[in-house]
Amino acid sequence: FASLAIIPKINGYNDLQMLPTATISFEVIPNILSLYGGLKSEVKLPTLYQITKENPFVAPYIRLQDESDANLFVKAFLTISPNAQLSLEGGMTDMRNHHFYYNLPIDSANVLNTMNVEYANAQRYYATLETHFNISTAFDLSLDATIQKVDRKDDITAYYTPAFFASMKARYKYEDKLFITLSPTFKTKQKARFILEEKELKPMIDI
């Protein structure tokens, strides 16, 4: 599959962009192992809901901008059994005008710990493992884990960007009438900047 998207200059802050996409997929072992990879490019405008879900301390009046990614990747899909599948993906993403978080000044008219977003170009290297298990007709389990390294091209540290994060989703279904879902997430320690001082946030688990 191949395509080319042309994004005109709009809103006065982004440049004319040409975003190519070219991907290929094939089976290595029929019904067991397949590979998928190539280059995928996209433009996105995250909503305030998506931003606050990622970081609930963001101020509600931030100005959001278009972001674009060019992702060079390869992904392997493995079917262990009819009830167990996993995938492993690795790649490099060229992130243009990507959002990063920073604390507002303490002398501003905002509540302490409120954050804003700033935009910068960055390079991201990552590897992601995804698994899914159908334990029974009533219970299934998914596990995801990602390691990443994000380097801002302006040589500023990518604060609030964990090097490792993982999530689990366990779902129980009772006769299509009752659904119980448990979705814990884990993030390793992160570098942060608060009141002009660099700090290190502890690992966190959210349930």
Side-chain angles (χ1 to χ4, degrees):
F1 173 79
S3 66
L4 177 64
I6 300 176
I7 310 299
K9 182 174 182 177
I10 56 176
N11 298 333
Y13 57 79
N14 67 300
D15 298 321
L16 174 70
Q17 300 181 69
M18 301 182 68
L19 303 175
T21 291
T23 60
I24 186 173
S25 62
F26 58 92
E27 286 189 323
V28 179
I29 304 174
N31 301 318
I32 296 178
L33 176 64
S34 61
L35 295 178
Y36 172 57
L39 174 67
K40 293 178 68 175
S41 303
E42 65 173 348
V43 170
K44 54 190 176 182
L45 177 59
T47 64
L48 183 59
Y49 172 77
Q50 291 171 325
I51 292 292
T52 53
K53 189 174 182 181
E54 184 179 89
N55 186 338
F57 300 103
V58 169
Y61 50 79
I62 59 176
R63 180 187 176 187
L64 300 176
Q65 299 181 9
D66 290 333
E67 307 177 22
S68 64
D69 293 341
N71 185 28
L72 186 65
F73 72 100
V74 62
K75 188 171 186 177
F77 298 90
L78 177 64
T79 300
I80 302 172
S81 73
N83 297 319
Q85 301 85 33
L86 67 84
S87 67
L88 178 63
E89 177 180 344
M92 177 188 72
T93 305
D94 182 32
M95 302 189 296
R96 304 169 192 170
N97 207 47
H98 185 75
H99 67 275
F100 293 93
Y101 300 107
Y102 70 94
N103 284 90
L104 290 168
I106 193 171
D107 58 349
S108 69
N110 302 285
V111 180
L112 192 64
N113 282 336
T114 300
M115 293 186 182
N116 205 337
V117 296
E118 60 183 355
Y119 291 87
N121 296 334
Q123 204 84 23
R124 177 179 182 251
Y125 304 89
Y126 72 95
T128 297
L129 175 67
E130 299 176 340
T131 62
H132 182 77
F133 304 95
N134 290 317
I135 309 300
S136 67
T137 56
F139 182 72
D140 62 85
L141 177 68
S142 297
L143 300 169
D144 303 335
T146 297
I147 57 173
Q148 65 176 359
K149 184 177 186 296
V150 178
D151 296 320
R152 288 179 51 160
K153 294 184 178 180
D154 55 8
D155 295 327
I156 296 176
T157 300
Y159 294 114
Y160 306 101
T161 304
F164 174 82
F165 56 92
S167 64
M168 181 187 78
K169 183 176 181 180
R171 186 178 65 172
Y172 175 75
K173 177 178 65 174
Y174 178 72
E175 296 184 351
D176 291 329
K177 296 179 180 179
L178 175 65
F179 295 87
I180 300 175
T181 302
L182 179 66
S183 302
T185 60
F186 169 79
K187 293 181 180 179
T188 190
K189 59 184 179 181
Q190 311 168 53
K191 288 187 177 180
R193 190 170 180 83
F194 182 67
I195 315 179
L196 302 180
E197 181 181 352
E198 186 171 289
K199 298 179 179 291
E200 189 171 80
L201 302 181
K202 296 180 179 180
M204 61 167 288
I205 296 178
D206 185 17
I207 300 177

